[in-house]
Amino acid sequence: MSDGDGVHRREVLKAGGAAAALGLGGSGFGKTLVEFGDDPKSKGDPGIESFVGQNEVIQTVCSPNCRGKCPIDVHVRDGQVKKVEPHPPEDERYKRACVLGLSHTQRAYDPTRLKYPMKRTDWSPDDPNGAGRGPDAEFERIEWDEALDLVAGKMQSLKSEHGAESVLFHEGSGNYGQTGKSFNRLASLFGATQSGWGIDANVGRGFNRVTGVGFFLPPTNEAEDWENANTIIVWGSDIFSSQFQMDASKILDAVENGAKLVVVDPVYTTTAAKADLWLPVKPGKDVYLALAMMHTVFEEETYDTDFIRSRTTAPALIHKETGELLHANEVFDDGSEDQVVAIEQGTEEPVALEPETGGPYALFGEYTIDGVEYVTALTTLKEHAAEYAPEKIAEKTGVKAQNIRTAARWLATRGPGGIAPSYALGRYTHGHIFGQAYAILMALTGDYGRSGNIHAHHSGGTVLSAGDWSAPEGSNPGPKMYFPDYPASMLDGEPHKVRAVYSIESNMMGNQFPDRKKFKKAIESLEMYVVADMHHTDTVQHADIILPVPHWFEQEDIASGWGSHPHLGYRHKVQEPLWESKDDYYAVRGIAERLGYGDRFPETKREMLRELVSRDPDIDFETIFEQGTQRKQSVSVIKYTDAFPTQTGRLELYNEDPPSEKGVSFDLPRPVEDRTADDYEKKDQYPLMFMQKHSRFRIHSQYEMVNWVREVNPEPQLDIHPRDAKSRGIDDGDYVRVYNERGEMVVKAKYNEAFQPGLVNTDQGWWSRDYVRGHHNDLTHNEVSEVGQTMAFYDVRVEVEPAPDADAEMYEGNNPRGADAEAPRAGGD
């Protein structure tokens, strides 16, 4: 049910005490509401109210770019949010919430909220004045109709003069609702360039070359099955810190059931502290380590013979000279070019390999057919892995040989288990090779299609299936452009000139993308930059047109459960949008009307949601609307039970048509390094590897402003091993300058022995205003591999020196995070 103002009412409960996160956390925070609220009732005394009265409790969903998508109950009184607490979803095994999700009272009412549509004062459609964008830009309040007229008019003129592809529709990942589908629908109808991804895709791309699936992290068994794993190798993930109430709890269930926990990480993380075995791999040496584990499996003959015969191309024959696989149509009159050929033991005759079919296939050896010499794929792989004996690569990887062998032995001999990598492995330039390597390692141990298998550090969750709604019949979708290609397109016209950008759900181009200076220069070249957001971010400060978007509590939507649970969640509106903020759908539909596509969009957001749900056979609108969450029954708990979507229907241990880069072919996983290489040309100049871990205190750059969190995480710091710091004359707590050829940042040094010598870290997600000087993404680069095409945030080198002149008064004066913060110029006051 819903009342007349459109806010969904679930039930009325007696409000408790401190069992959940309370809303008006202090007098200063209350002052924010009085100063910026338009409700006359908010003009009175903002003192703390009694929490004994009656609250309306409204079920909704938290939906940033994290793995949670947690259903939550929001307590509302007099139109204001008072507290937030977890809500059990349809399947109560997935009940959870984190501190950030419980802090929305502060995020919803923070002074960085955007209040009105704004236009940069020195921008016009005919005179963009790109140099005026940035820190000194001033904005003026305009009406919504004027804002949409300006956007639609400029889009139409650019289409007429330069083609629709000159306009880029950039969608980030800041909101896991369904608005993106309407955004993409408009882009498809208009013919605009649309954003392809370029972050966190390395591991999945490499995994895909073996399995036929994967782009980000690959599919893995749903978390409820993880308790059945007997060995879990968490690779490059601090899951006990960043996903504790989600997937980590399932790993702990497995440990309680007797599972062995191995952690591979260059950092001694919270997760490593709880492991049975920690492998402190050096940055970028992960492929060497995976190959050494393969070596151990081969040497100890602990590979799963039945599995690799029936579900992999291990028995497939490879031409010894050309490296090409022998296909069935080359041997048999009725053979298929999709099938490969093996040797049947006993008869020594060639036989075609069917998907999902076992048999007495020869796994090792050399064979001659019609005078041509062949070798099995497994023999080729074994010979390749022989070069990576644990004793040989121990020093290179920083991991003791006996520990490498122990980890491989546990995975291969203790029953079902798995490897749970994070995106971190893909944040090295050539991280796709690791995806290929660990996919093959798990094939050798038979860890696909069984209960207890794990292939990623979070499960795949679920999304609302809407078919071709985003690219409807009669549309003419423009080209896709990967994120790393943006600067070249804007500055140099390669592969085509982008002249305007419409951005939603993203603080990427001004804050999160690497080589931030290059992206800011690219933004300067645009004729129009439109940014829709709920907060005044670094990216917003570079906009020409600012469209204020409501907080999640102020907009109705359906949240995809992509990440850690198989539910969709209905995001009921909790309060009316504050000030003049409006749902992204309002802007998308308004622009569509002005461009002549209005009849292709439902009149209201709820009608759009109904239409999308009608396309998904697993979801019923009334059920999810009333129930709040609905589990998709088509989401299988155990993955990889059917034939693999590869050409052969099998796991392909050998790639006969491999990609290559730097003269290296990836028919088999072969280590290739960029800045982590021992002989990297600038290693002496910039001797420290620089990474930017994800923080438990933010979701990327979201929640940066939450003052509850900032009390314990007040400013960025540089984690540095005492040995590296002392050799540079740096004491714990000193301010330091971190620099390389691209830029610098000034932060406080923090002695941290969890980081091995030679490795430093500043958690990602901080905004420009949080630094004394510079920014962590002024240090990163936008170079990507030919194969992975993925931004390499961790493949970065720096040097560090004392910064005795650093002015740190900013952390003591007008605290930009607290309740007394000044409202940004784009706020409209």
Side-chain angles (χ1 to χ4, degrees), residues 469-597:
W469 199 84
S470 296
E473 184 179 354
S475 66
N476 184 28
K480 288 275 189 180
M481 181 174 291
Y482 290 109
F483 294 161
D485 296 331
Y486 283 9
S489 71
M490 296 173 192
L491 294 169
D492 306 320
E494 297 293 338
H496 63 267
K497 181 72 172 176
V498 167
R499 299 172 182 273
V501 175
Y502 179 9
S503 170
I504 69 169
E505 304 172 0
S506 173
N507 185 24
M508 291 176 170
M509 287 180 64
N511 198 81
Q512 292 298 98
F513 279 161
D515 202 349
R516 195 177 66 124
K517 290 182 178 179
K518 178 178 287 187
F519 275 91
K520 289 164 69 175
K521 184 178 180 181
I523 291 172
E524 284 187 16
S525 72
L526 297 173
E527 296 184 31
M528 180 178 70
Y529 189 27
V530 182
V531 180
D533 208 310
M534 71 172 81
H535 292 281
H536 183 183
T537 66
D538 283 359
T539 300
V540 165
Q541 185 60 29
H542 287 78
D544 302 317
I545 301 293
I546 301 171
L547 304 179
V549 178
H551 183 272
W552 296 317
F553 288 176
E554 301 160 13
Q555 51 178 297
E556 188 174 12
D557 215 324
I558 295 176
S560 296
W562 185 81
S564 292
H565 63 95
H567 297 86
L568 293 174
Y570 204 93
R571 204 169 71 201
H572 290 292
K573 186 190 293 185
V574 170
Q575 64 182 16
E576 288 303 312
L578 297 180
W579 302 284
E580 293 181 9
S581 61
K582 293 184 183 294
D583 193 303
D584 275 312
Y585 185 71
Y586 174 88
V588 168
R589 188 173 186 275
I591 294 171
E593 288 178 334
R594 288 163 172 79
L595 295 174
Y597 309 120

Side-chain angles (χ1 to χ4, degrees), residues 121 128 193 290 339 365 414 424 569 653 674 728:
T121 55
T193 299
Q339 291 177 300
R414 300 187 76 252
L653 307 189
D674 187 20
R728 291 166 172 79

Side-chain angles (χ1 to χ4, degrees), residues 173-432:
S173 56
N175 179 358
Y176 271 81
Q178 305 305 313
T179 298
K181 291 183 172 64
S182 65
F183 188 69
N184 295 330
R185 184 178 179 91
L186 175 58
S188 296
L189 290 165
F190 183 78
T193 299
Q194 298 187 49
S195 52
W197 213 253
I199 297 176
D200 292 341
N202 251 339
V203 174
R205 287 178 187 270
F207 192 91
N208 193 306
R209 295 204 297 273
V210 177
T211 66
V213 295
F215 180 78
F216 298 109
L217 293 182
T220 188
N221 291 6
E222 294 301 312
E224 65 202 64
D225 176 66
W226 290 10
E227 65 181 8
N228 299 313
N230 293 333
T231 302
I232 302 173
I233 302 178
V234 174
W235 206 311
S237 170
D238 191 8
I239 194 169
F240 286 2
S241 177
S242 62
Q243 295 169 227
F244 187 76
Q245 291 175 285
M246 295 174 274
D247 312 299
S249 64
K250 310 304 182 186
I251 291 179
L252 291 172
D253 289 341
V255 171
E256 288 184 2
N257 290 339
K260 294 290 188 182
L261 177 60
V262 180
V263 172
V264 184
D265 205 302
V267 182
Y268 189 66
T269 61
T270 302
T271 311
K274 303 298 182 184
D276 296 288
L277 184 64
W278 174 44
L279 308 184
V281 66
K282 293 180 181 179
K285 309 298 183 182
D286 304 272
V287 175
Y288 293 97
L289 185 58
L291 287 166
M293 290 183 179
M294 287 188 213
H295 175 99
T296 301
V297 171
F298 279 119
E299 185 177 66
E300 299 183 358
E301 298 185 359
T302 53
Y303 42 82
D304 188 329
T305 302
D306 291 339
F307 180 87
I308 59 180
R309 277 200 173 108
S310 61
R311 304 201 67 194
T312 80
T313 58
L317 297 178
I318 302 171
H319 195 295
K320 288 190 66 175
E321 293 185 5
T322 67
E324 295 178 352
L325 288 165
L326 179 62
H327 292 266
N329 64 328
E330 301 174 55
V331 179
F332 310 107
D333 292 338
D334 58 350
S336 168
E337 63 179 357
D338 292 337
Q339 291 177 300
V340 290
V341 175
I343 293 294
E344 185 177 51
Q345 286 182 327
T347 67
E348 303 299 301
E349 292 294 325
V351 58
L353 284 179
E354 299 279 354
E356 303 294 310
T357 303
Y361 308 126
L363 294 177
F364 297 99
E366 298 182 6
Y367 302 90
T368 301
I369 299 176
D370 295 332
V372 179
E373 293 184 344
Y374 296 90
V375 63
T376 69
L378 196 62
T379 300
T380 302
L381 179 62
K382 181 180 180 180
E383 291 174 350
H384 177 59
E387 302 174 18
Y388 299 92
E391 292 76 14
K392 183 177 179 180
I393 59 91
E395 183 178 356
K396 178 177 283 292
T397 61
V399 181
K400 294 179 180 179
Q402 65 192 52
N403 290 342
I404 298 173
R405 293 184 181 278
T406 297
R409 192 174 298 128
W410 284 351
L411 181 66
T413 64
R414 300 187 76 252
I419 298 173
S422 74
Y423 301 100
L425 284 304
R427 293 179 187 138
Y428 296 100
T429 304
H430 306 286
H432 61 90

